[in-house]
Amino acid sequence: MAGVIAGIARHGRAKGPMETIDRAEVSLDGGIAGDHRGVRKPGGYGRRQVTLIERIDWDAAMAEVARDLPWWERRANLLVEGFDLPQVPGTRLRIGADVMLEVTRDTEPCHRMEALAPGLFAALSPDWRGGACSRVLAGGTIVVGDIIRIETS
């Protein structure tokens, strides 16, 4: 089972604007280069270094609230297509040839989602629809169009 990275986004500071990019460096200590959430704090576990959301889940949430907002408004780092994100912490995901992420938990929606569209918080809440958080296990370069798959070995 494999999918594709359909989008990459980052934000340089808390509550700062999201920037969409076509290519990103990913590192153990910094997550996606230029994204403030990816920096692993001293003694921290990096449970939220990189966040991922499925396009199908974002589209379903948009349909539920009768809106058409771009996916990066979710404030996720990676948009995945054709891939069902595993809902099991500890699952390893390979992106491209080098990058390896470990799913740590679901990405719970925050109050900012409700400010975007009434009902969006509830639309993103069930069944990990808000996405998955992950930590970086192996860094490298990712680009839009890279394959994402569950690492089995």
Side-chain angles (χ1 to χ4, degrees):
M1 180 168 93
V4 176
I5 299 298
I8 304 170
R10 63 185 179 191
H11 56 298
R13 60 184 165 77
K15 300 180 183 176
M18 293 299 287
E19 171 190 22
T20 58
I21 53 180
D22 293 327
R23 163 184 300 276
E25 293 300 317
V26 180
S27 69
L28 294 172
D29 293 327
I32 292 180
D35 188 76
H36 87 97
R37 283 249 187 228
V39 176
R40 192 178 291 202
K41 297 177 177 94
Y45 299 106
R47 291 186 190 122
R48 192 180 172 145
Q49 283 187 292
V50 178
T51 54
L52 306 95
I53 190 166
E54 296 174 46
R55 180 182 301 276
I56 196 167
D57 284 343
W58 180 251
D59 290 348
M62 289 295 93
E64 213 169 287
V65 298
R67 297 289 301 271
D68 187 23
L69 299 170
W71 71 272
W72 58 84
E73 292 290 350
R74 174 64 184 104
R75 306 189 67 74
N77 297 120
L78 302 178
L79 177 68
V80 298
E81 275 186 351
F83 183 72
D84 189 19
L85 286 170
Q87 298 177 3
V88 179
T91 303
R92 293 177 175 205
L93 304 173
R94 171 78 61 189
I95 301 174
D98 300 321
V99 174
M100 176 93 69
L101 304 178
E102 179 184 42
V103 174
T104 58
R105 63 184 173 90
D106 67 323
T107 308
E108 298 173 0
C110 67
H111 69 279
R112 293 182 66 128
M113 297 301 101
E114 200 63 22
L116 287 174
L120 185 54
F121 179 92
L124 290 170
S125 293
D127 197 31
W128 288 49
R129 193 187 267 179
C133 295
S134 68
R135 75 170 49 95
V136 179
L137 298 180
T141 302
I142 59 174
V143 297
V144 170
D146 272 351
I147 300 297
I148 180 172
R149 64 188 182 282
I150 294 173
E151 183 73 11
T152 55
S153 54

